[in-house]
Amino acid sequence: MTQSVPATGSEPLSRPSHPRLALRTSLARLSMRPRSMLLLSVVPVLAITVGVVGWLLDWRLGVDSAVYRAGALTLLHGDPLYDASTLAPEPWWALLPFTYPPTAALLFVPLAVVPTQVAWGVLTAISVLAMALVIRVAIGSLPKPAAGPRWWSSPARATLVFSVLMLGLEPVWRTIFLGQINLILMAMVVVDVLVFTARGARGGGILIGIAAAVKLTPLVFVAHLLFTGKRKDALRALVTFLGMQLLMLLLIPDDTIRYWTKTISDTGRIGPVHWAGNQSLNGLMNRITDLAPWASKAAIGISALLAIPAIWLMLRFHRRGQALAALLVTAFFGLLASPISWSHHWVWAVPLVVLLISRLPQTTPATAWRRWLGTGAVIAVFISCVLLVLPNGRNIELHWKFWQGVLGNAYILMPLVLAAVLVARWFLLRRRRVDQTTSG
């Protein structure tokens, strides 16, 4: 039996009872549907095939996955990871510094087994499946409408359709194009929070700890677990993360010490913070202040101020049984507060779009246009590729016109506007109820 909880509006929703059972049931049903399995495997198989062909024809596939693989080979060869701006095993078309924690090099070791292009294909295949997993878990975690089933036919079919359509989002296809690992890390966090932690599994928090060992930004979800009352899971995530750092300290002490004392603060290895691709508050402040020396400190201060309403908003969703919405608040706050959030880091647009589309029918005809407009605007931001169209690079961003600045910071403005609308709507509804109670 489910417990009824209120939604952000007036429509009653019910708390999802057993998300783990829904996921297991979906996987079991999928194994008995050859057609669905074939459709789901088309893109991953194609990616691996392209990787093999690319290896045979010496194509340039996956700049970032080439760096991942080079980091793993460097670790296996016993060479330093951070002494130079490039790594010896990198191909000539992917000469970039290794900017990840030393634990990432260890976790990338499986990529060292295959050629560079094949590594891209394998990583792409896993990323597409990871995105499908995120979509299915997101659907399973949505509160069920009180008035009958959702408008889509079934979660399985919706997952397949969403998985294809989401490939059109700029953060998604750019992640795939570069051979990035963002979709996989997002899947680890989503499964950890919405499946393992939600059911009280003993392994809750471990996936977040591993994800943070690859890129530090998932550490924000440790705070999410802590604020939502999952203290043991938060501790487990921290212990996992710190334990992996200790392991690397034993294996490669020089590289580990160098990373945590010097490399981590060297933003020059990552890229220019004011470049249009950096969709974080740090990037925004550096762009609009013409690289003022205090810009990054101002971004930290703004992030600290935004943390207060972000925690309030996240807890409000959490207490109403809307775990996915609560998780998204934390995810987008992390993207805003991070010193560097490249556009391909914004793959959290995938579960956000699922959430927004799921709520489209749950309104009155008189107000339906608002949700359609809001959902359409969010989708437009992430499919428009506006960051690629606007002039950028070579400090051009510092001279953007006002309208270019608005479009060029669209990813940053989107969650801020969305949160402001939600907060304003809640306060208006609350005031209206108070007035009705007083007049009655």
Side-chain angles (χ1 to χ4, degrees):
M1 184 174 181
T2 58
Q3 178 181 357
S4 179
V5 294
T8 55
S10 58
E11 64 273 54
L13 300 178
S14 59
R15 191 186 302 266
S17 53
H18 299 291
R20 70 185 186 279
L21 296 180
L23 180 59
R24 288 178 178 176
T25 302
S26 294
L27 293 176
R29 289 176 179 174
L30 181 64
S31 64
M32 296 183 293
R33 294 180 178 178
R35 183 181 301 178
S36 297
M37 291 185 64
L38 179 62
L39 292 174
L40 190 60
S41 62
V42 166
V43 176
V45 170
L46 179 62
I48 295 177
T49 302
V50 171
V52 173
V53 173
W55 167 52
L56 296 175
L57 300 180
D58 197 24
W59 290 348
R60 306 175 195 175
L61 293 177
V63 172
D64 287 333
S65 56
V67 176
Y68 299 160
R69 179 178 177 274
L73 287 171
T74 301
L75 175 67
L76 294 175
H77 294 161
D79 297 327
L81 288 167
Y82 309 109
D83 283 359
S85 58
T86 61
L87 299 176
E90 291 176 343
W92 64 269
W93 44 266
L95 297 177
L96 295 172
F98 190 80
T99 60
Y100 309 93
T103 44
L106 179 64
L107 295 171
F108 290 145
V109 164
L111 297 179
V113 179
V114 295
T116 300
Q117 295 85 346
V118 178
W120 171 86
V122 171
L123 202 58
T124 296
I126 298 174
S127 294
V128 173
L129 294 176
M131 182 176 68
L133 178 60
V134 167
I135 293 170
R136 182 60 191 93
V137 173
I139 291 174
S141 68
L142 293 171
K144 297 178 181 179
R150 297 194 183 279
W151 55 271
W152 51 56
S153 55
S154 72
R157 291 190 183 94
T159 299
L160 289 173
V161 172
F162 275 127
S163 297
V164 173
L165 295 180
M166 295 299 182
L167 293 174
L169 300 182
E170 187 266 344
V172 173
W173 66 254
R174 183 172 278 263
T175 286
I176 292 173
F177 174 75
L178 295 173
Q180 266 282 345
I181 200 169
N182 305 309
L183 290 166
I184 299 173
L185 298 183
M186 177 175 65
M188 294 171 69
V189 172
V190 167
V191 171
D192 201 328
V193 174
L194 299 182
V195 180
F196 294 163
T197 301
R199 74 181 185 185
R202 294 182 178 179
I206 292 179
L207 288 180
I208 289 178
I210 297 174
V214 178
K215 286 187 177 182
L216 300 180
T217 47
L219 284 173
V220 70
F221 298 104
V222 177
H224 179 90
L225 295 176
L226 191 62
F227 280 112
T228 54
K230 305 294 184 179
R231 294 179 178 84
K232 291 184 179 180
D233 300 285
L235 179 61
R236 200 176 290 118
L238 273 179
V239 169
T240 301
F241 173 77
L242 295 175
M244 295 187 69
Q245 307 312 312
L246 179 60
L247 173 63
M248 299 310 294
L249 184 61
L250 296 175
L251 294 177
I252 48 172
D254 292 341
D255 267 337
T256 302
I257 294 174
R258 182 181 180 88
Y259 175 81
W260 288 107
T261 57
K262 295 182 179 180
T263 306
I264 190 174
S265 59
D266 185 5
T267 56
R269 292 176 62 91
I270 303 176
V273 295
H274 64 281
W275 181 53
N278 182 16
Q279 291 291 294
S280 70
L281 291 172
N282 188 34
L284 171 64
M285 291 304 299
N286 276 277
R287 284 191 287 271
I288 65 177
T289 64
D290 197 13
L291 299 178
W294 47 265
S296 294
K297 294 180 180 178
I300 295 174
I302 295 173
S303 299
L305 291 175
L306 287 178
I308 299 173
I311 294 172
W312 177 84
L313 190 61
M314 181 271 291
L315 289 177
R316 186 176 178 89
F317 278 127
H318 175 72
R319 290 164 183 164
R320 292 182 170 220
Q322 300 177 51
L324 175 60
L327 181 62
L328 288 174
V329 172
T330 302
F332 283 107
F333 172 77
L335 289 168
L336 292 174
S338 174
I340 300 290
S341 291
W342 301 128
S343 64
H344 52 77
H345 292 170
W346 288 72
V347 290
W348 286 93
V350 171
L352 174 62
V353 170
V354 172
L355 174 62
L356 293 176
I357 290 180
S358 73
R359 293 182 55 78
L360 285 177
Q362 301 169 22
T363 185
T364 62
T367 60
W369 67 271
R370 298 175 184 173
R371 287 190 179 177
W372 281 94
L373 180 62
T375 301
V378 170
I379 295 175
V381 166
F382 292 109
I383 68 172
S384 64
C385 300
V386 64
L387 300 180
L388 303 179
V389 176
L390 287 174
N392 64 85
R394 297 183 180 180
N395 297 337
I396 293 178
E397 298 90 339
L398 304 180
H399 308 288
W400 274 347
K401 298 178 181 178
F402 176 78
W403 67 270
Q404 291 176 321
V406 173
L407 295 178
N409 295 295
Y411 286 15
I412 303 169
L413 297 175
M414 184 277 300
L416 295 176
V417 172
L418 196 59
V421 170
L422 281 174
V423 172
R425 181 169 178 256
W426 281 337
F427 275 108
L428 287 175
L429 289 174
R430 182 178 179 181
R431 183 175 180 180
R432 189 178 303 170
R433 286 193 296 266
V434 172
D435 291 343
Q436 290 175 350
T437 303
T438 304
S439 61

